[in-house]
Amino acid sequence: MPAPPVRPEYERPLEPLTGVAPERTLPFAARLWQQGWLRKGVILVVLAVLWEALARWQDNDLLLPTFLATARALAEGLASGELIEKVRISLIVLVQGYVAGIAAAFVLTTLAVSTQFGRDLLTTLTSMFNPLPAIALLPLALLWFGLGQGSLVFVLIHSVLWPLALNTYAGFQGVPETLRMAGRNYGLKGLRYVLQILVPAALPSILSGLKIGWAFAWRTLIAAELVFGASSGRGGLGWYIFQNRNELYTDRVFAGLALVIIIGLLVENLGFHALERVTVRRWGVQR
């Protein structure tokens, strides 16, 4: 069989790239449009304009107040301090339930990654209670804890615990085996193994669970306050919406709903996005 021909090697020098600049500055408009806050602001402005046009076309303030009327009611409620007090009451209850739910989810998932009994316990409880809406437990909570903050905290823990536990456990299961072996080689066990190996590696899933739990808790709290308010006759933001609905102050109802949305946007963009930026994105774990 003849040997394959040997091709001679050669080098081809490249001509210097002098006619084109190695870097090209984008136009100011393109650089400005790359800012996320600007794009989101444009979306909000478009939605506000559509709202205003639809309300003026319908011409019925009782059913749909205009955007300007809602903004005026929101400004008046903030200036008088009434809305600020309602938000303070709601956020105090929300933080209590949210932190308690995070603690319970951490204990449950730590037990699940440590023992077989913990895994069986987690899968059984999540299969039972995760499909159950938190607001459906409100009648039981009223019987057990009375008409007060204890009932609200109980349903908030339920709304946070299961989605966070599922996301955290899924993140723990996705940790590469090499990282697990490295932790064992360093002699890490139990809680130290979870905190130093599993939690940093599973942080994207944990943050996703925290965001889902926050959204569930926030809407559960507003729905619960719409039903019965809060303790000692002091209602939160949901109770403010319910009261003004009964008195047919539709602009105030929309102002309360708008404040619910604004708080959600602030927590999402200033809280969770900032946390992702300094952790998983900085570490290169998430794009």
Side-chain angles (χ1 to χ4, degrees):
M1 182 176 180
V6 179
R7 297 180 179 178
E9 296 183 359
Y10 63 92
E11 294 183 1
R12 178 176 296 176
L14 298 177
E15 298 180 0
L17 190 64
T18 57
V20 181
E23 294 182 358
R24 183 171 60 91
T25 304
L26 290 176
F28 175 75
R31 284 185 281 121
L32 190 61
W33 187 246
Q34 288 181 345
Q35 303 297 320
W37 61 268
L38 179 62
R39 297 193 301 271
K40 294 177 182 179
V42 170
I43 294 174
L44 294 177
V45 170
V46 171
L47 291 176
V49 171
L50 292 176
W51 177 0
E52 183 74 18
L54 180 60
R56 290 184 181 275
W57 174 77
Q58 188 181 29
D59 196 21
N60 189 340
D61 290 341
L62 187 61
L63 295 179
L64 182 63
T66 63
F67 173 79
L68 295 178
T70 302
R72 190 181 308 113
L74 178 61
E76 291 174 355
L78 293 175
S80 65
E82 182 181 8
L83 274 176
I84 296 177
E85 178 64 18
K86 299 297 184 183
V87 170
R88 186 188 69 83
I89 294 173
S90 294
L91 290 182
I92 289 176
V93 180
L94 178 67
V95 169
Q96 293 176 3
Y98 190 63
V99 172
I102 291 174
F106 181 77
V107 171
L108 198 58
T109 50
T110 301
L111 186 63
V113 298
S114 303
T115 63
Q116 182 63 48
F117 172 76
R119 287 190 287 275
D120 295 338
L121 180 66
L122 177 63
T123 54
T124 303
L125 292 181
T126 51
S127 300
M128 291 170 56
F129 295 115
N130 191 42
L132 186 63
I135 198 66
L137 294 176
L138 188 57
L140 269 180
L142 292 174
L143 289 175
W144 292 344
F145 303 102
L147 191 66
Q149 289 189 0
S151 301
L152 293 175
V153 171
F154 175 78
V155 295
L156 290 179
I157 292 175
H158 174 82
S159 64
V160 174
L161 172 58
W162 310 117
L164 179 56
L166 281 175
N167 276 65
T168 303
Y169 184 67
F172 287 169
Q173 292 296 99
V175 175
E177 191 63 29
T178 53
L179 290 179
R180 298 174 181 270
M181 295 172 62
R184 296 190 188 100
N185 289 338
Y186 277 100
L188 299 178
K189 296 180 181 179
L191 187 59
R192 291 182 60 199
Y193 174 74
V194 173
L195 291 178
Q196 298 184 27
I197 299 296
L198 297 183
V199 170
L203 196 55
S205 296
I206 296 174
L207 289 177
S208 177
L210 287 173
K211 288 193 286 187
I212 295 174
W214 147 258
F216 282 6
W218 185 226
R219 69 188 188 187
T220 298
L221 176 62
I222 299 300
E225 288 181 343
L226 281 168
V227 175
F228 72 94
S231 63
S232 304
R234 298 186 308 155
L237 191 54
W239 189 245
Y240 172 86
I241 296 171
F242 181 76
Q243 281 184 318
N244 285 285
R245 195 271 298 177
N246 288 338
E247 299 173 5
L248 298 181
Y249 292 127
T250 314
D251 55 344
R252 297 182 183 178
V253 172
F254 274 82
L257 294 174
L259 193 54
V260 171
I261 296 173
I262 291 171
I263 293 174
L265 290 174
L266 290 176
V267 172
E268 179 73 19
N269 290 280
L270 299 182
F272 289 114
H273 282 190
L275 185 59
E276 289 176 350
R277 188 170 59 252
V278 300
T279 54
V280 291
R281 292 183 185 176
R282 185 178 179 182
W283 301 340
V285 180
Q286 188 181 63
R287 294 182 63 183

